[in-house]
Amino acid sequence: RASMSDLSALPEVMTVDEVAAYLRVNRRTVVNTLIRPGKLMVTKVGPQWRITRVALQEFLAKREAVGGTAHPD
């Protein structure tokens, strides 16, 4: 499971695949469950999405604050 303590090792800007690998979920889970519904803030660069480390930290902090796990499924 992802934890807030090891986020500093991540790149400042990540691809969907990098976020999926970090969260240990499928790429489709990141896109369909987090990005499309607006739960994870992204920036579009051409046809691809990019996620900042700050956006991922904020998403995880919100999930932990409401008693959820860091894992989106």
Side-chain angles (χ1 to χ4, degrees), residues 13-71:
V13 178
M14 294 167 279
T15 65
V16 172
D17 290 329
E18 289 171 325
V19 170
Y22 177 75
L23 295 175
R24 296 182 186 178
V25 298
N26 187 288
R27 178 184 209 283
R28 277 188 244 158
T29 300
V30 173
V31 173
N32 295 331
T33 307
L34 303 179
I35 295 175
R36 291 200 176 168
K39 294 178 184 177
L40 180 62
M41 299 306 297
V42 298
T43 300
K44 197 91 163 169
V45 178
Q48 299 177 349
W49 284 302
R50 294 290 184 262
I51 301 98
T52 65
R53 182 174 48 208
V54 170
L56 184 58
Q57 285 173 320
E58 289 173 357
F59 165 76
L60 293 173
K62 284 179 190 174
R63 294 217 21 117
E64 290 178 2
V66 296
T69 61
H71 199 281

Side-chain angles (χ1 to χ4, degrees), residues 3-18:
S3 74
M4 295 291 290
S5 62
D6 56 3
L7 285 171
S8 62
L10 293 175
E12 186 64 35
V13 178
M14 294 167 279
T15 65
V16 172
D17 290 329
E18 289 171 325

